[in-house]
Amino acid sequence: MLLCRRIRAKMVLLSGLKKCRLLRLFHHIGEYFLMVIGVFSKPEKLRIYLQRTVVEIDKIGISSLGIVALMSLFMGAVIALQTASNIESPLIPSYTVGFTTRQSVILEFSPTIICLILAGKVGSNIASELGTMRISEQIDALDIMGINSRAYLIAPKILGSIFIFPFLIVISMFLGIFGGYLVCALTGIIAPPDFVEGILLDFRMFHVVYALIKTVLFAFIITSVSSYHGYHTRGGAIAVGRSSTMAVVYSSILILIVNYIVTQILLI
Amino acid sequence: MIEVEHLSKSFGDNHVLKDINFTFEPEKVNLIIGQSGSGKSVLTKCMVGLHQPDEGEVRFNGRAMDKISNQERTEVRKEIGMLFQASALFDSLTVQENVMFPLQMFTKMSKEEMLDRVNFCLKRVNLENVNHLYPSETSGGMQKRIGIARAIAMNPRYLFCDEPNSGLDPNTAIVIDNLIHEITHEFGMTSVVITHDMNSVMEIGENIIFLYNGQLWWKGSKEDILATDNPEINAFVYASKFMKSIKEVHKKGI
Ligand SMILES: Nc1ncnc2c1ncn2[C@@H]1O[C@H](COP(=O)(O)OP(=O)(O)O)[C@@H](O)[C@H]1O
Ligand SMILES: [Mg+2]
């Protein structure tokens, strides 16, 4: 806590120099990490935090099931179609379509693209919820009561999303591959048994693990960055809109950067 | 008793509060008056600890907020109830859950005891049969009263109200003012009420400070306010034609 105070004092000094953009960026990064530290402090009443986490799991995860399912089915289908239509040489075996669909869905599409979609849906939702609570002084009301508002509001969101996102992404993987299979079965573009052969070819569990590691990181990025922007909203209704946009923009950019770094570390 | 000593606060170049010294007296309705933007809300927020003052000290019955341990500070916080300018009810919770919230977080009461306390508080602010409504389904005056009920749920020693009657019709405003006055005396609380409404000043003001340009410009009782010839306070009090006419009558009477 003392360390936090000292860092904060330094940052107040820094914030005096707000005119410089780079310094302001550092200021935000510092504030962000302080917030994350503050979120994981000792809770007042564990039971209430658990209840809130369950509510958040429902709000963040279960309610996103529809859009995730829809996106995955269609994208899986399109990947299968495009791969099939691009293979002209008779030398390339037709199970390649199944193989390519599986690899694209598991490695990139489900963890990264679906998380980008969720950054839009969940991120803007979190930022506007917290932003509204901030400008209507509901967060002040919590602080007055002596409740750690960061921990109370943000921790359940982060924990809830880290718990539920992997399930969403695994569902998305199955549905994406199933979408590809459906296309084969319905259009006959390649024979379904060939597609299945491709799906099973050279399957590596590590790829799924890699995808789920990414998912957990992305879940953390989406909820913490959006919470940061929502919690630090200043002003009125327009500011809430701005926070919500910033939440989506910054979490998307961070997802892309972290995606690159993690891939470089784990797969190369 | 809440003592404020040499309190200063600025945001960047904006010196909002300059060296405020005052003692808010127990079992009285203490009023902070002043024009919009004169720093009334910032002063209360510094007192309750939502803003960190740049300089100075706030003491709740001798306990200086910046000198005590975190645990003691949490204890002091539990003795503070606050009604916010826009009520600040949690809009995802029902009226009952709103009032019950601090009890759930801080007490080990059973469900029945909590319900009893909630109903007592709601009844005290003259609200019944609203337990299961959401704040958005209630009127502005009801929201203020729910806010008061939530503020007094923990039986606070200190009650802060930021413009409790802004945005209300005159009748409802008087009801809220009187409610604050009654509750203060009934439970022996130290109340700090922000207002810019002269009606409430004359209705409930017992110990009044006037903020002007971030300074404590004037202090006194509601009787003093009619007698003073401080030009700034007169400009504030007699801003409306109606109040001016009262002043004429008052003078002629004398
Ligand atoms: N969080 C804040 N950041 C920067 N300036 C603020 C903040 N809160 C209030 N101010 C400034 O402090 C001054 C007093 O505001 P306030 O206390 O809300 O006035 P009022 O007396 O109407 O309640 C205003 O000039 C306002 O711009
Ligand atoms: Mg104000």
Side-chain angles (χ1 to χ4, degrees):
Chain A
M1 254 5 253
L2 195 69
L3 185 71
C4 281
R5 278 230 191 106
R6 240 178 243 161
I7 301 174
R8 189 172 285 275
K10 287 243 170 66
M11 280 182 356
V12 170
L13 273 181
L14 274 182
S15 69
L17 308 168
K18 266 199 177 145
K19 271 146 219 146
C20 177
R21 284 202 149 209
L22 191 67
L23 276 182
R24 196 158 54 191
L25 181 67
F26 281 129
H27 172 81
H28 278 299
I29 294 175
E31 278 275 352
Y32 169 78
F33 280 109
L34 276 184
M35 184 200 83
V36 172
I37 296 170
V39 161
F40 294 103
S41 59
K42 191 171 155 286
E44 283 92 12
K45 267 202 173 172
L46 199 61
R47 196 174 52 84
I48 291 181
Y49 280 70
L50 287 178
Q51 278 173 2
R52 284 190 42 79
T53 307
V54 173
V55 171
E56 293 296 341
I57 287 175
D58 180 49
K59 221 166 58 182
I60 293 174
I62 313 295
S63 72
S64 304
L65 214 59
I67 188 170
V68 168
L70 196 71
M71 289 275 310
S72 309
L73 269 176
F74 275 91
M75 288 302 288
V78 170
I79 293 173
L81 270 182
Q82 285 186 346
T83 320
S85 71
N86 277 307
I87 293 176
E88 280 163 9
S89 159
L91 288 179
I92 301 175
S94 60
Y95 62 69
T96 311
V97 177
F99 179 77
T100 312
T101 307
R102 186 199 77 203
Q103 288 301 80
S104 326
V105 166
I106 289 184
L107 289 177
E108 258 335 283
F109 170 71
S110 284
T112 311
I113 306 294
I114 290 289
C115 280
L116 282 172
I117 304 283
L118 289 176
K121 180 176 180 288
V122 175
S124 61
N125 181 303
I126 289 178
S128 52
E129 178 189 329
L130 291 182
T132 309
M133 288 190 78
R134 167 61 77 193
I135 64 164
S136 62
E137 299 183 311
Q138 291 177 48
I139 294 184
D140 288 343
L142 286 171
D143 286 331
I144 284 278
M145 291 177 193
I147 292 167
N148 179 347
S149 59
R150 290 193 187 108
Y152 179 80
L153 294 171
I154 301 176
K157 291 187 197 300
I158 295 184
L159 294 178
S161 69
I162 285 182
F163 175 79
I164 195 69
F165 268 39
F167 288 98
L168 282 178
I169 297 309
V170 168
I171 291 172
S172 156
M173 289 172 181
F174 275 107
L175 287 177
I177 295 170
F178 180 66
Y181 176 83
L182 266 187
V183 151
C184 299
L186 293 178
T187 65
I189 195 165
I190 55 162
D194 288 353
F195 187 82
V196 174
E197 187 189 345
I199 294 176
L200 299 176
L201 184 76
D202 191 23
F203 175 77
R204 287 190 218 155
M205 197 57 205
F206 178 69
H207 286 168
V208 177
V209 173
Y210 152 82
L212 292 184
I213 290 175
K214 291 208 294 191
T215 304
V216 168
L217 288 174
F218 296 162
F220 180 81
I221 289 174
I222 294 172
T223 39
S224 62
V225 170
S226 312
S227 298
Y228 173 78
H229 284 289
Y231 190 88
H232 291 93
T233 303
R234 291 268 175 283
I238 295 177
V240 176
R242 199 184 316 122
S243 296
S244 147
T245 310
M246 302 270 268
V248 178
V249 170
Y250 281 101
S251 36
S252 304
I253 293 175
L254 270 177
I255 285 178
L256 294 176
I257 295 173
V258 169
N259 185 32
Y260 177 81
I261 296 173
V262 173
T263 307
Q264 175 110 35
I265 294 174
L266 290 184
L267 288 194
I268 306 295
Chain B
M1 181 168 60
I2 311 170
E3 293 155 293
V4 173
E5 253 176 35
H6 301 297
L7 189 106
S8 299
K9 174 77 184 169
S10 35
F11 295 103
D13 297 335
N14 184 3
H15 299 288
V16 180
L17 297 176
K18 299 166 200 155
D19 196 27
I20 307 280
N21 292 287
F22 192 65
T23 301
F24 294 86
E25 292 176 18
E27 304 196 32
K28 275 193 181 165
V29 179
N30 301 275
L31 290 189
I32 303 176
I33 63 175
Q35 285 171 355
S36 200
S38 57
K40 305 184 295 294
S41 297
V42 173
L43 174 57
T44 43
K45 285 185 177 173
C46 284
M47 288 169 67
V48 298
L50 285 176
H51 286 320
Q52 189 68 35
D54 299 336
E55 267 168 57
E57 193 170 89
V58 179
R59 286 193 300 269
F60 288 82
N61 284 51
R63 293 165 297 179
M65 285 301 261
D66 56 338
K67 296 218 176 76
I68 54 183
S69 69
N70 276 343
Q71 201 181 349
E72 283 174 297
R73 200 173 304 128
T74 312
E75 289 305 315
V76 175
R77 287 244 163 118
K78 284 183 207 162
E79 296 174 6
I80 298 176
M82 182 152 182
L83 171 66
F84 285 87
Q85 200 160 347
S87 297
L89 299 173
F90 304 122
D91 40 32
S92 58
L93 305 180
T94 62
V95 170
Q96 173 173 315
E97 288 165 339
N98 261 287
V99 181
M100 203 187 276
F101 185 83
L103 303 174
Q104 277 176 329
M105 293 302 285
F106 292 114
T107 68
K108 292 201 166 72
M109 288 185 184
S110 69
K111 185 95 187 186
E112 287 75 38
E113 288 171 316
M114 282 197 263
L115 269 180
D116 280 349
R117 180 75 193 155
V118 168
N119 288 327
F120 170 81
C121 293
L122 284 174
K123 196 159 179 202
R124 188 63 201 82
V125 297
N126 305 322
L127 283 175
E128 275 170 283
N129 302 323
V130 294
N131 291 40
H132 299 292
L133 295 180
Y134 281 91
S136 57
E137 298 167 334
T138 60
S139 70
M142 281 158 88
Q143 289 177 8
K144 299 275 180 185
R145 282 188 275 168
I146 300 163
I148 296 177
R150 183 178 69 183
I152 62 173
M154 293 282 285
N155 224 336
R157 289 169 79 178
Y158 315 99
L159 180 67
F160 290 81
C161 302
D162 192 345
E163 303 199 5
N165 49 21
S166 66
L168 298 180
D169 63 273
N171 274 329
T172 317
I174 290 173
V175 170
I176 300 282
D177 281 342
N178 287 333
L179 186 60
I180 292 171
H181 187 260
E182 285 165 26
I183 287 177
T184 302
H185 290 277
E186 193 175 320
F187 302 119
M189 294 187 292
T190 306
S191 293
V192 178
V193 178
I194 298 181
T195 186
H196 50 217
D197 178 8
M198 278 316 292
N199 264 330
S200 0
V201 175
M202 298 327 270
E203 195 84 26
I204 58 170
E206 294 175 297
N207 189 21
I208 305 171
I209 60 174
F210 175 68
L211 290 188
Y212 183 78
N213 263 341
Q215 280 163 307
L216 199 165
W217 203 258
W218 181 90
K219 56 188 169 190
S221 68
K222 66 181 172 192
E223 288 79 23
D224 303 338
I225 227 172
L226 291 174
T228 180
D229 35 54
N230 184 317
E232 282 78 20
I233 200 159
N234 281 338
F236 175 78
V237 174
Y238 303 111
S240 75
K241 284 199 183 109
F242 174 69
M243 285 304 290
K244 268 183 204 136
S245 69
I246 288 189
K247 176 138 187 155
E248 306 287 300
V249 174
H250 194 73
K251 269 186 188 159
K252 277 175 199 156
I254 294 168

